[in-house]
Amino acid sequence: SDLVSITRAVHIIGVPGASLSRLASAPVVNVSAAAGAVEVDGFILDNLNPAANVTGILSASSSITVKNCHIRGMTADGIRIDAPAGGKAIIENTVIERTGAYGLFIANSSGSMNAMVDRLTVIAAGTVGILVNDAGVAWISNTTVSSSGISGIGVGIGTIVTLQNTTSTGNSAFGLHIPSAGTSVFSAGNNSFTRNGSGPVGGAGTLTNVGSF
């Protein structure tokens, strides 16, 4: 079972050094679709069993905020969000490191959703550091992604993403991967994609410079 299961709107705050650790194959924190607005603030999330299939935070809620957290050693995803149409997600001042799959995975179960990612650090994700998928709209700022097993940042078909003050470096494939020509990715200034195995930007889509805000 989940270590922490959230089924209604709640704001949980960890005291300094508060830790949640997982031994079994289940999320450390599981937020159900019925939960409503949920905020997770100030926790260290650890996976203590490398043989288990563990995600740090798994959310199907219409509104999820994660801030001031440190998520490490997950064998699946660091944070995985599958929101309903019209859902929103905020990820702020958080570190995700050493995951088996995605660092941060953002998608929606139907329709479109909105996400804001600010001051996120993703280190050594097993696949893609940050993936925004399924017709979402996301703003990613002041964020660093490094040493991912595939690409640093990936953007799915029909998704609109704006990047600002973001660095994606030292990833095995691309710094930024835009597979589809129907995908809109905009640079609002001061982004860097260096020392990536396959190059800075790849895929059929394009990165459009819209200047600084």
Side-chain angles (χ1 to χ4, degrees), residues 163-202:
L163 303 171
Q164 186 177 46
N165 299 327
T166 290
T167 297
S168 182
T169 185
N171 303 289
S172 295
F174 295 103
L176 172 64
H177 190 212
I178 316 168
S180 170
T183 301
S184 300
V185 180
F186 302 100
S187 171
N190 199 30
N191 298 299
S192 175
F193 310 103
T194 60
R195 298 189 293 108
N196 297 288
S198 300
V201 180

Side-chain angles (χ1 to χ4, degrees), residues 3-210:
L3 184 62
V4 177
S5 182
I6 299 175
T7 58
R8 63 180 184 176
V10 67
H11 181 184
I12 59 173
I13 305 175
V15 298
S19 178
L20 298 170
S21 301
R22 176 83 272 182
L23 287 170
S25 293
V28 180
V29 178
N30 193 355
V31 184
S32 76
V38 171
E39 185 168 325
V40 180
D41 182 355
F43 285 92
I44 299 169
L45 277 64
D46 275 311
N47 171 31
L48 302 181
N49 183 357
N53 183 29
V54 179
T55 289
I57 297 175
L58 176 65
S59 177
S61 171
S62 60
S63 177
I64 178 72
T65 298
V66 178
K67 62 183 183 179
N68 306 318
C69 288
H70 191 158
I71 301 169
R72 57 197 184 194
M74 301 300 152
T75 47
D77 304 324
I79 300 174
R80 187 178 186 94
I81 296 167
D82 189 6
K88 65 178 182 178
I90 298 173
I91 313 297
E92 184 178 278
N93 195 36
T94 287
V95 176
I96 302 171
E97 59 177 320
R98 295 181 288 107
T99 61
Y102 300 104
L104 170 62
F105 180 96
I106 300 174
N108 59 286
S109 55
S110 62
S112 182
M113 66 165 294
N114 296 305
M116 189 278 286
V117 179
D118 186 54
R119 290 171 292 144
L120 173 67
T121 299
V122 181
I123 304 167
T127 57
V128 177
I130 300 173
L131 179 64
V132 185
N133 208 10
D134 297 334
V137 177
W139 177 281
I140 300 173
S141 59
N142 306 307
T143 286
T144 299
V145 183
S146 63
S147 304
S148 302
I150 304 179
S151 291
I153 300 170
V155 181
I157 297 172
T159 302
I160 301 172
V161 173
T162 302
L163 303 171
Q164 186 177 46
N165 299 327
T166 290
T167 297
S168 182
T169 185
N171 303 289
S172 295
F174 295 103
L176 172 64
H177 190 212
I178 316 168
S180 170
T183 301
S184 300
V185 180
F186 302 100
S187 171
N190 199 30
N191 298 299
S192 175
F193 310 103
T194 60
R195 298 189 293 108
N196 297 288
S198 300
V201 180
T206 58
L207 177 63
T208 302
N209 187 2
V210 293

